[in-house]
Amino acid sequence: VDKASRWSVAAVAALAVVVLILPLVVKSSFAIDIFIRILLFSFIGVAWNLMGGYAKQLSLGHAAYFGLGAYTSTILQIDFGISPWIGMVAGGVVAMLASLPIGWLCFRLRGPYFTIATIATAQALMLIFLKFRDFAWGAEGTTIPNLGNAPLMMQFEAKSAYYYIALGLLAIGLVITWLIERSWMGYYLVAIGEDEDAAEAIGVNAPSMKRNIYMISAFLTALAGTFYIQYIYFIDPPTAFNFNISIEAALVAIVGGIGTLWGPVIGTILLETASTLLQSWLGSSIGGLQLTVYALILMAVILWRPTGLMGMIGEFYQRHAGRERGAVT
Amino acid sequence: MLETVAQAVINGLLIGGIYALVSIGVTLIFGVVKIVNFAQGEFVMIGMYLSFWLTTQFGIDPVVTLVVTMPVLFVVGVLVQHFLIRRVLGPNDMPQIFLTFALSLLLLNLALMLFSANYRTVHTSYSDQAFHLGGLYIPVAKLIAFVVAMILSGALWVFLHTTDLGKAMRAASQNRDVATLMGINPNRVFCVALGIALALAGAAGSLLMPFYSAYPFVGQVFVLMAFVAVVLGTLGNVVGALIASLMMGIAESLGIQYVGADSGQIVVFAMLLLTLAFKPNGLGGGRVR
């Protein structure tokens, strides 16, 4: 084990300790709420990044899988009394299966038109849930029955419990990304992202690779959907299939550093902190303010730092390391 | 029965003219600059607010505000190309998609902050008037919008086929490298393409004002329709986009007539999904990208 990787193991261990004891130190429920948002959107960004970041299949329709996960677990819970813990996995499987026909349609187009097709499929799913009211409460939605403290039904009195679930999800997402990054699949995905035709020419089965990573990405996004609905105790189509979820999934990954392990996490921390600070400075929430700020940050990143914050950190580290080496010689 | 169908077709055709203005802009930009402008709908929204402002402040007829909205948005288009899009043109898709997407997000939410989510409407003397042809009902405001939209589309076709600049744009759309070798300045051509596309969006804004409300999200209605029409009409093909837009208008109108009042969007999505499944290269065939 070389020095650099020993350092990074130590850094991750230190980070793990900090995030594990954070809810024990910080008692403010407002702060915990923000931490949960950061963990949740980091996780969604990580799920998006697997497909959007590594394979550069730029989806703006991940709300489809978020919503399918949310609805699957809610229907199982309310109509069949099945625990959301099982419903969460079931939702992931439903999302995975749904990604097959959706991918079959959308992957026919490349580049921006792939993106548009993903937007359209997510919107179409929302419309289906809005229209067919016998199917899942229609436009009114439903509240999740509050059972008090019922850990087996994913309901807790303490907010910190939700924090640890979100943290667990993010950890799973990061480990999966880390494993894929180091596998052949990771290299194939990056090759597809760089130039799909060239990747196919050297023998990468691009359609199957894209299908597989889309399934993994959809599965993870659906887990977030179940968690979110359990956290807010309410579901309706505009909440579950909210276009802003699709936007934020892509945004945090791009701002933080597209196609990097930690990019979505760093991006979420920056964006969520910025929007929280702005909202507390300007008092009550002004409609459109948060997304205006997000849009400005996104434009700035694209125009000046397309590699995102991770790219900036990398450059800084290299300059710093270079100076050190220069001092030795 | 036949009359109901005919009425639905007329309604669809009339609104299809507006869809055409938006989708011709999208397809023109895609053909010449090779990017998708996600913000096209927001420029329709800006055109509508500008038209609303001119009408309420100076009492100008909303249709006449076209002489202001078109040049203003032409200039905006040139600026957007020169200062934003020019910087992200390259082999990488990500910056191109997310730059115009961010622009759309920015303009929409700025409008939400500045003008609130309220609906703004203009009432003109002809807003409620209609021609009666047999049993058919043809609203004047929509007819004016359709006729002007067709005149503008025709003018664009003549421009693209007879002027040097128009021919240069078509050349750049067919093969950018060769066009550059022939002495065509790509950035100048791109600026004009963006300018024309946004001017058409501005025109759509003015033409809509007598019978449609302005609100921050209004662009989303038209841009989605335009994206579908542009795929259906084969990417980059101006005439294809025009025909597809009219078809989409009619399909939407028949959907509203026979499926339900709020099913317009479902028809649009169904058409997009069917197009993707069976004719991903558009009705005219051809190659995608």
Side-chain angles (χ1 to χ4, degrees), chain A residues 297-312:
Chain A
I297 294 177
L298 179 60
M299 281 175 98
V301 166
I302 287 168
L303 289 175
W304 290 293
R305 292 284 159 165
T307 50
L309 295 174
M310 286 298 284
M312 281 170 83

Side-chain angles (χ1 to χ4, degrees), chain A residues 12 23 28 37 72 77 82 85 159 167 176 261 281 288 313:
Chain A
V12 170
S28 142
R37 273 189 71 87
T72 305
Q77 181 187 1
I82 295 171
W85 289 108
K159 257 200 171 163
L167 183 62
I176 288 176
L261 178 61
W281 278 338
I313 294 169

Side-chain angles (χ1 to χ4, degrees), chain B:
Chain B
M1 172 63 200
L2 199 64
E3 222 162 58
T4 330
V5 176
Q7 182 67 54
V9 168
I10 286 175
N11 291 346
L13 200 62
L14 293 182
I15 193 71
I18 297 288
Y19 295 157
L21 286 183
V22 187
S23 49
I24 287 173
V26 172
T27 214
L28 187 69
I29 296 176
F30 187 83
V32 177
V33 196
K34 305 286 178 244
I35 63 156
V36 168
N37 182 15
F38 279 86
Q40 191 76 4
E42 274 58 54
F43 292 111
V44 177
M45 182 261 297
I46 290 175
M48 290 184 81
Y49 274 109
L50 189 56
S51 170
F52 173 79
W53 182 73
L54 290 167
T55 303
T56 47
Q57 288 296 310
F58 305 103
I60 307 171
D61 187 273
V63 172
V64 179
T65 63
L66 207 114
V67 297
V68 180
T69 54
M70 285 187 73
V72 167
L73 277 148
F74 183 91
V75 173
V76 173
V78 172
L79 297 176
V80 165
Q81 162 62 29
H82 192 76
F83 290 105
L84 297 174
I85 292 173
R86 191 168 59 96
R87 306 180 53 156
V88 295
L89 292 178
N92 198 341
D93 275 335
M94 190 282 280
Q96 304 173 11
I97 294 174
F98 282 93
L99 181 72
T100 60
F101 183 74
L103 189 62
S104 152
L105 210 57
L106 179 68
L107 295 173
L108 198 163
N109 286 286
L110 275 179
L112 202 56
M113 281 166 68
L114 295 175
F115 309 128
S116 83
N118 294 343
Y119 285 56
R120 318 272 172 179
T121 44
V122 167
H123 198 84
T124 59
S125 56
Y126 51 88
S127 282
D128 301 324
Q129 282 180 7
F131 294 120
H132 294 274
L133 258 176
L136 298 176
Y137 170 88
I138 303 171
V140 174
K142 287 188 181 175
L143 185 65
I144 294 173
F146 177 78
V147 170
V148 177
M150 289 305 108
I151 292 172
L152 290 173
S153 309
L156 177 66
W157 194 87
V158 171
F159 167 77
L160 288 176
H161 285 80
T162 58
T163 65
D164 284 346
L165 191 54
K167 286 178 187 165
M169 281 172 67
R170 287 199 299 138
S173 124
Q174 279 162 11
N175 191 324
R176 191 189 298 173
D177 297 336
V178 174
T180 314
L181 286 176
M182 297 297 120
I184 291 168
N185 174 353
N187 189 46
R188 184 160 153 265
V189 169
F190 294 173
C191 281
V192 175
L194 256 290
I196 292 175
L198 263 59
L200 291 178
S206 289
L207 294 172
L208 277 167
M209 236 20 239
F211 62 94
Y212 214 93
S213 310
Y215 56 99
F217 295 94
V218 70
Q220 308 279 307
V221 178
F222 294 97
V223 82
L224 216 51
M225 198 64 94
F227 286 152
V228 180
V230 168
V231 179
L232 201 61
T234 306
L235 298 171
N237 184 335
V238 170
V239 179
L242 172 66
I243 296 169
S245 300
L246 298 179
M247 285 171 52
M248 301 273 309
I250 295 171
E252 183 198 31
S253 168
L254 288 172
I256 291 171
Q257 183 71 41
Y258 290 104
V259 187
D262 49 353
S263 62
Q265 263 203 316
I266 290 191
V267 173
V268 179
F269 290 129
M271 288 198 61
L272 176 65
L273 298 180
L274 289 174
T275 310
L276 289 184
F278 300 109
K279 280 273 181 191
N281 294 337
L283 292 176
R287 273 161 45 96
V288 176
R289 300 200 74 186

